[in-house]
Amino acid sequence: MPLLRGTSRLGAGLVLVLVAAVGCTGGDVEGSSRTGSASASNRTESARGETPGSTPRPPPAPADPVSLPALIQREHQGSDLGLGAVRLRTGAYTQYAVTYRSNGLTISGIMNVPRGGGPFPALVLAHGYIDPAVYTTGRGMPREQDLLARKGYVVLHTDYRNHAGSDDDPDNDVDLRLGYTEDVIAAVLALRSAARPNVDDDRIGLLGRSMGGGVVYNTLVVAPGLVDAAVVFAPVSSRPEENIDRFQRPEGDPVVDEIEAAHGTPEENPEFWRQVSPITYVDRVTEPLLIHHGTADDTCPLAWSRRTAAAFEAAGKDVELRTYAGEGHTFGPRWRDSMAATTAFF
């Protein structure tokens, strides 16, 4: 089924900028005694958000490099999508090993391409947490990869940096894994810049599961207009400190100490933690979002999705939360129902 086009999207390599609610400051504004035109001076000051005679506003402070505002300001680049060896052939699609470039790194993954001429709408898949030490390319969502390709979607599943055949980013874990968001944005840009005749690059969506749901949240706030729609399954919290407290701290993960040494605890540096939370910037989102969550999920509590959906609704965004009685984190009996709703939504 086709994806609906949104009202706007970003082209490959387009600069993603944070529109700050401040005026630009330039040289000294001359007074009427020097220019002979007080009204012209006043209009200049007014256009900059200043009142006549006020002190010009300073330029905005640079964003913390580890933050969503920094990703918003960054020029994201995704390119060089290359199809490698055939991994699987079915009557409905062919699966290829792929690589692409993400802000200077090479990222591996797989791509399922339906049989036929196309062009087909495309979906970028963001998988959940799997220890990179044991992760293998394309792992995480085999059911979704297969079903969506059979439904007529090109499916690009990114491995993320530090996974499988991707390049290494040694700072990624301490930097709250924000690099995964860069890799998903770059996957979309790489699909578009490849200009493949069997890919309809005007119809691209996102699908994420668990940790990948959090990556999708980040992508929606960093790059509004990049895709047409997004779906997440059993997503993590939209507040990273809650994910750390639930998944990493109880396991004694030494990365937690490194994160807090670099960025402070939420109590010590609340502004840092506010700036790495997608819920802080939900007003930027322009795409419709569908959230699937089971009531018996003991990995990612349903309360997390309820709170995130409520934040989207409060901001006037197009969001739907579907709950599934008795379903756990990975979905079982109701999985096909959830996928039927997903393809209908896209």
Side-chain angles (χ1 to χ4, degrees), residues 88-95 113 115 146 149-150:
L88 175 68
R89 292 189 191 275
T90 75
Y93 64 87
T94 302
Q95 181 180 105
V113 180
R115 292 191 179 276
D146 178 79
R150 292 180 185 277

Side-chain angles (χ1 to χ4, degrees), residues 63-307:
D64 186 319
V66 181
S67 69
L68 292 176
L71 290 188
I72 290 167
Q73 293 173 356
R74 181 166 191 175
E75 179 181 357
H76 293 273
Q77 298 180 347
S79 62
D80 299 340
L81 178 66
L83 274 61
V86 172
R87 291 169 46 94
L88 175 68
R89 292 189 191 275
T90 75
Y93 64 87
T94 302
Q95 181 180 105
Y96 299 89
V98 299
T99 58
Y100 65 94
R101 297 287 287 173
S102 170
N103 293 340
L105 298 179
T106 295
I107 307 299
S108 63
I110 64 166
M111 192 161 81
N112 291 351
V113 180
R115 292 191 179 276
F120 303 103
L123 296 170
V124 171
L125 271 55
H127 64 80
Y129 180 79
I130 301 171
D131 184 347
V134 301
Y135 178 90
T136 53
T137 193
R139 186 172 170 185
M141 287 189 281
R143 297 178 300 178
E144 291 82 358
Q145 296 163 7
D146 178 79
L147 184 147
L148 292 167
R150 292 180 185 277
K151 292 289 185 180
Y153 293 92
V154 170
V155 178
L156 173 56
H157 176 111
T158 176
D159 289 334
Y160 307 135
R161 61 193 61 195
N162 298 347
H163 289 70
S166 300
D167 284 346
D168 188 37
D169 177 0
D171 297 325
N172 188 63
D173 285 350
V174 177
D175 291 349
L176 280 294
R177 300 173 182 160
L178 290 179
Y180 298 164
T181 300
E182 296 183 62
D183 297 338
V184 166
I185 293 171
V188 176
L189 297 177
L191 267 173
R192 287 209 173 100
S193 64
R196 296 184 57 83
N198 53 0
V199 177
D200 185 344
D201 59 17
D202 277 335
R203 293 186 293 163
I204 301 179
L206 299 177
L207 189 148
R209 177 176 287 282
S210 193
M211 181 190 73
V215 174
V216 168
Y217 290 159
N218 286 348
T219 302
L220 293 178
V221 303
V222 169
L226 177 72
V227 297
D228 300 284
V231 175
V232 296
F233 284 80
V236 294
S237 174
S238 50
R239 292 192 172 108
E241 64 269 30
E242 291 186 331
N243 298 318
I244 289 173
D245 286 344
R246 187 169 183 89
F247 302 120
Q248 293 176 268
R249 201 181 302 278
E251 299 294 325
D253 187 343
V255 173
V256 175
D257 288 339
E258 295 181 52
I259 291 171
E260 293 180 346
H263 308 296
T265 66
E267 294 74 25
E268 293 167 342
N269 191 1
E271 182 60 16
F272 168 80
W273 293 94
R274 193 186 74 84
Q275 291 190 2
V276 293
S277 172
I279 207 168
T280 303
Y281 307 100
V282 71
D283 62 307
R284 290 176 49 83
V285 175
T286 57
E287 291 71 45
L289 171 67
L290 174 61
I291 305 172
H292 299 290
H293 216 128
T295 63
D297 189 335
D298 58 4
T299 300
C300 293
L302 174 58
W304 286 351
S305 285
R306 291 195 190 280
R307 187 178 61 219

